[in-house]
Amino acid sequence: MEPFVSTLIYFFVSIAIVLVGLVIFELLTQKYKDWDEVLKGNHAVALSIGGKIVGICIVLAFSIYNSADIVETLIWGGVGIVLQMIAYLLFQLFTRTFSVEEQLQKGNIAVGIISMSVSIGLGFVIGASIT
């Protein structure tokens, strides 16, 4: 019964961490509201958000594999969110010739794919560093 209970606990904790991450990312976005853009059918923003969700979940998965308890998973989840935010801000900084936010708001799928790829790729790097 213990593995079942542990699975449920990790499941609900992971959902909470992802939701907190999404709220923080929503606050980082200043030119538009993420979910308003998704409701409008903006695929670029949806790709970017999806990448953040997957990136955070990758960090959580590695954390669950390698942590002794739920507290460590909470800590690593927080670290994963912070590092994903830093990655997004660096992505914006390194694209000096255009604004990532503006391009996402305009529905630029190419920028959405790159944003998603940055989040997922760095999720693996962050996750692997937990081991």
Side-chain angles (χ1 to χ4, degrees):
M1 187 69 164
E2 185 181 333
F4 179 73
V5 172
S6 292
T7 299
L8 287 176
I9 291 170
Y10 281 113
F11 174 75
F12 287 113
V13 164
S14 295
I15 289 173
I17 290 169
V18 169
L19 290 175
V20 166
L22 290 176
V23 167
I24 291 170
F25 285 119
E26 178 80 24
L27 295 172
L28 273 179
T29 308
Q30 302 196 357
K31 298 185 188 286
Y32 59 86
K33 294 295 176 201
D34 291 339
W35 297 108
D36 290 346
E37 290 298 313
V38 170
L39 288 174
K40 291 179 192 175
N42 187 328
H43 296 105
V45 171
L47 286 165
S48 182
I49 293 170
K52 289 174 181 76
I53 292 169
V54 173
I56 292 169
C57 287
I58 290 168
V59 173
L60 288 169
F62 276 94
S63 174
I64 292 167
Y65 290 144
N66 296 294
S67 296
D69 56 35
I70 194 74
V71 174
E72 283 186 40
T73 298
L74 285 167
I75 292 167
W76 281 114
V79 169
I81 290 170
V82 169
L83 292 176
Q84 288 281 356
M85 285 186 324
I86 291 169
Y88 183 75
L89 294 172
L90 287 173
F91 177 46
Q92 289 190 91
L93 179 68
F94 293 141
T95 55
R96 294 175 151 219
T97 57
F98 63 89
S99 165
V100 172
E101 273 191 48
E102 286 178 12
Q103 292 302 309
L104 290 173
Q105 184 179 25
K106 290 178 182 178
N108 186 329
I109 300 286
V111 173
I113 291 170
I114 292 171
S115 178
M116 177 185 71
S117 299
V118 167
S119 295
I120 292 172
L122 288 175
F124 279 112
V125 171
I126 296 162
S129 73
I130 293 172
T131 59

